[in-house]
Amino acid sequence: MAETWDQADRLAPSDRMAAEALIVDVDGYEGPLDLLLTLSRSQKVDLRKISVLQLAEQYLTFVSQAYQLRIELAADYLVMAAWLAYLKSRLLLPPEPGELGPTAADLAAHLSFQLERLAAMREAASRLMALDQLGRNVFARGIPEEVSRRRDIRYEATLLDLMRAYARIRTRDDFRPFALDRENVFTMEQALDRLRSLIGYAGNWADLTSFLPDGWDLTPARRRSATAAHFAAVLELAKRGQVHLRQSDTFAALEIRRREP
Amino acid sequence: MSDPTEPSLFAAPPMAEQERMVEAVLFASAEPVTLAELTQRLPEGSDPAEALVTLRRRYEGRGVNIVKVGNAYAFRTAADLGHLMHKESVETRKLSRAAIETLAIVAYHQPVTRAEIEEIRGVAVSRGTVDQLIELDWIRFGRRRMTPGRPVTFVVTDHFLDHFGLETTRDLPGLKELRAAGLLDSRPLPGADATPDEELDGQTELFED
Amino acid sequence: MSDPTEPSLFAAPPMAEQERMVEAVLFASAEPVTLAELTQRLPEGSDPAEALVTLRRRYEGRGVNIVKVGNAYAFRTAADLGHLMHKESVETRKLSRAAIETLAIVAYHQPVTRAEIEEIRGVAVSRGTVDQLIELDWIRFGRRRMTPGRPVTFVVTDHFLDHFGLETTRDLPGLKELRAAGLLDSRPLPGADATPDEELDGQTELFED
């Protein structure tokens, strides 16, 4: 990243704009604010003094480049683009007399505040990580002494343990589907058994659905399960050469007939 | 060992500095450190043997001393202060799953009766579990419930809040927040009609006010 | 605390002896020891706080120093000698940029809600990030914010302070400058609903104790 900036700094503004147009790489940014912060670096001024107007231009250029390159932009990039376009028009036009709500200058100031804050937190993060860290720069006693004279058992539990335990209990119900709901499931074995005894009557072509057991067509879940099981069972029987199958058209009724020995 | 009269390419650090180094290494090492190891770890030309002599003298009569263990050196608490180490001998054990679950239920649902705990956990709560939590001073008896049988309720103690760094039990995160933090992976399976967030309604007092 | 002019049944040991005791207890423990625990472990009538003052001074500039973490104390090797301890150093998991930034935001803005972290970073905070920081015991759930929805907040832990060698969060690098520049204020978008006052209260609480 730093290299990109340095490089950008050496270029003339027009070249820079052109170069930026080429680095349309949305994946490289953590969202619109991150992108705006990167763009604002090219102005080489205090973040409080950046030209929001210019920044808006750059962002909109970026977005339109991405659009031309048919790069998928996440919704938040587009929302930001719309907002910046709005802000830009407000900044360019003189304020209407008697206008209510925040002024364009206020909105622009807030945006530069957000950018400055993000930059500051990044700086703070790197200063934090540069501190002497335990186990890296600074070390604790290597041989903590544990003299056992009186054995005192202390039960330990952390807030994390507590929360996890609670979460475990409260979500136990979510796991129930792992235990198969037998009541509404018709297995292929069951269907196969049933069909074996019924197939003898199917001397003529008969619709598969007519073989479904009573009571299994009342709810969609039960009907689906029974149909699927019987369909699989019929395929199995056809494979064994015990039935003929035919279907006149896609999604048409599936018909079966006993195969004469 | 290098002859101290012979000039070294690398000037060894001053003796006071070497002493600091030996002190730090002995302190941080997980095992007693041999002289050979010290020589290896200190900058070229150092003389840890000499540094050790002064360092050991410096710790004479202090709360910790440098002792020689076999061929190696280590810091040890002064023998006469061993009695102070009682607390260090405290053995910490994880709470049993039954206990932590019971504790969690009391914390999230208090005041709660034993029957309610059993209903939520789906299994009986043993006397030992409750006794243990009372002994730990994490739960105590609350007011009796004004229902048939007037069962006692359990609530958490101030000591519990203190231990877990909570101001009130209201600060306990709810399921949604646990899930948002990634502490909860389970998702309702497609097809299961359960809407787990609505289930929270059961815990009314805690999660909405 | 007992009045020092009033003779105690148990004479406290002389200060030099108390100093030895504090030294031994701190030395023996890898974790910081609180003043309360020291008081409990030393003989009745002892004043570990006073013993600590001289003891800390004694270790100034040595290979090991006494550091203060929150309300607790611990011996730690001097930072400039870290290079000697390669053997002891533990390879820590490489934190993602998102995790590091989230940690910094929690530290500098605490107590802070998830929405606020997202507002500052400009992107959503993933579950894994928060989870990882909680696992490391660097952040924990704090008090709920007294705003609509009562969102939970995040704060840093004492373990975080210990890890980064900070006595309090006030010692965070650059904190004063950031605050002076107004970069730690919660500033709503102009025209958005005014921020409830409570939010600001939460902010200050942290930095004064």
Side-chain angles (χ1 to χ4, degrees), chain B residues 1 21 32 42 50 91 106 142 154:
Chain B
M1 215 141 294
M21 293 176 170
L42 261 57
E50 198 192 322
E91 199 179 307
V106 175
F154 296 99

Side-chain angles (χ1 to χ4, degrees), chain A residues 102-164:
Chain A
T103 67
D106 288 343
L107 294 173
H110 186 74
L111 178 63
S112 56
F113 166 73
Q114 280 181 296
L115 292 174
E116 194 190 356
R117 184 173 60 181
L118 179 61
M121 288 327 294
R122 294 218 164 133
E123 163 71 15
S126 59
R127 288 174 77 175
L128 183 65
M129 296 317 279
L131 288 177
D132 290 327
Q133 292 184 40
L134 191 65
R136 192 182 76 180
N137 314 90
V138 162
F139 297 84
R141 179 75 199 272
I143 321 173
E145 281 171 63
E146 295 183 18
V147 186
S148 302
R149 293 214 175 168
R150 184 179 55 137
R151 240 165 58 113
D152 188 1
I153 297 168
R154 187 200 287 173
Y155 285 92
E156 258 303 330
T158 64
L159 190 56
L160 197 60
D161 295 333
L162 193 73
M163 294 181 314
R164 284 200 167 131

